[in-house]
């Protein structure tokens, strides 16, 4: 009986994660978007006609950003929402430092970071499992997500229903 209880305790709490780290260092995704040239139909020196799409690299655009605050576990770093040239949106976590834990996930929340400590809201959007507790990582924001309505990013432990930390998202101007 003691072995069964110990096995369940190990499964639920995964205490070894208090002594391990997983570092992730992803680059910000890049994409090319078609650029249509206006004007009369003539070929340039590269053989591309005006009016035909040509692939050009466009810089991603920062939409919002914020710094993490600690809730149940020391958490620091920056969260950024970014629109890619192809129109896709990603959440980027930079210089993230938090604890590992069982079933830790990343959410967008309509609550402010301080309020997220008490729980996720019904409208929270799950972006996936936390890839690592240290480093830089990207999460695809589902198509059709209205990013301006989300006020924070939350690192949330599903198993224990606690926030490790959260970051308020402030619109980037300029």
């Amino acid at each position: 009986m003691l072995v069964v209880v110990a096995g369940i305790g190990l499964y639920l709490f995964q205490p070894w994660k208090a002594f391990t780290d997983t570092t992730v260092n992803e680059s910000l995704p890049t994409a090319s978007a078609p650029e249509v040239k206006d004007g009369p139909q003539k070929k340039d020196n590269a053989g591309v006609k005006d009016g035909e799409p040509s692939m050009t690299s466009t810089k991603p655009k920062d939409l919002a950003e914020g710094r993490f605050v600690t809730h149940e576990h020391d958490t620091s770093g920056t969260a950024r929402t970014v629109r890619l040239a192809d129109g896709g949106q990603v959440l980027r976590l930079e210089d993230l430092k938090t604890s590992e834990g069982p079933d830790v996930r990343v959410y967008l929340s309509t609550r402010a970071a301080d309020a997220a400590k008490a729980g996720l809201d019904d409208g929270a959007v799950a972006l996936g499992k936390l890839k690592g507790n240290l480093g830089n990582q990207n999460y695809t924001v589902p198509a059709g997500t209205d990013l301006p309505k989300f006020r924070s990013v939350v690192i949330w432990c599903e198993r224990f229903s606690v926030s490790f930390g959260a970051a308020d998202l402030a619109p980037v101007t300029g």
Side-chain angles (χ1 to χ4, degrees), residues 12-36:
L12 287 175
F13 292 99
Q14 299 178 359
W16 58 89
K17 289 199 171 186
F19 306 103
T20 62
D21 289 319
T22 302
T23 301
V24 174
N25 267 320
E26 295 178 328
S27 298
L28 181 64
T30 58
S32 294
E35 176 186 42
V36 177

Side-chain angles (χ1 to χ4, degrees), residues 60-129:
K61 178 178 174 30
D62 286 340
L63 302 173
E65 66 181 17
R67 299 211 44 84
F68 277 97
V69 295
T70 295
H71 287 167
E72 295 298 322
H73 294 268
D74 286 341
T75 302
S76 63
T78 303
R80 295 171 44 207
T81 56
V82 179
R83 176 170 290 114
L84 303 176
D86 65 3
Q89 300 175 124
V90 297
L91 169 71
R92 179 155 173 82
L93 306 182
E94 294 179 331
D95 300 320
L96 179 68
K97 292 180 185 156
T98 192
S99 300
E100 284 207 301
D103 205 14
V104 180
R105 298 178 182 266
V106 179
Y107 282 88
L108 290 171
S109 175
T110 58
R111 291 185 172 175
D114 286 342
K117 186 174 184 177
L120 294 169
D121 54 299
D122 291 337
V125 173
L127 300 181
K129 285 191 163 221

Side-chain angles (χ1 to χ4, degrees), residues 120-138:
L120 294 169
D121 54 299
D122 291 337
V125 173
L127 300 181
K129 285 191 163 221
L130 187 68
K131 297 174 184 178
N133 65 310
L134 302 173
N136 306 304
Q137 47 205 278
N138 306 303

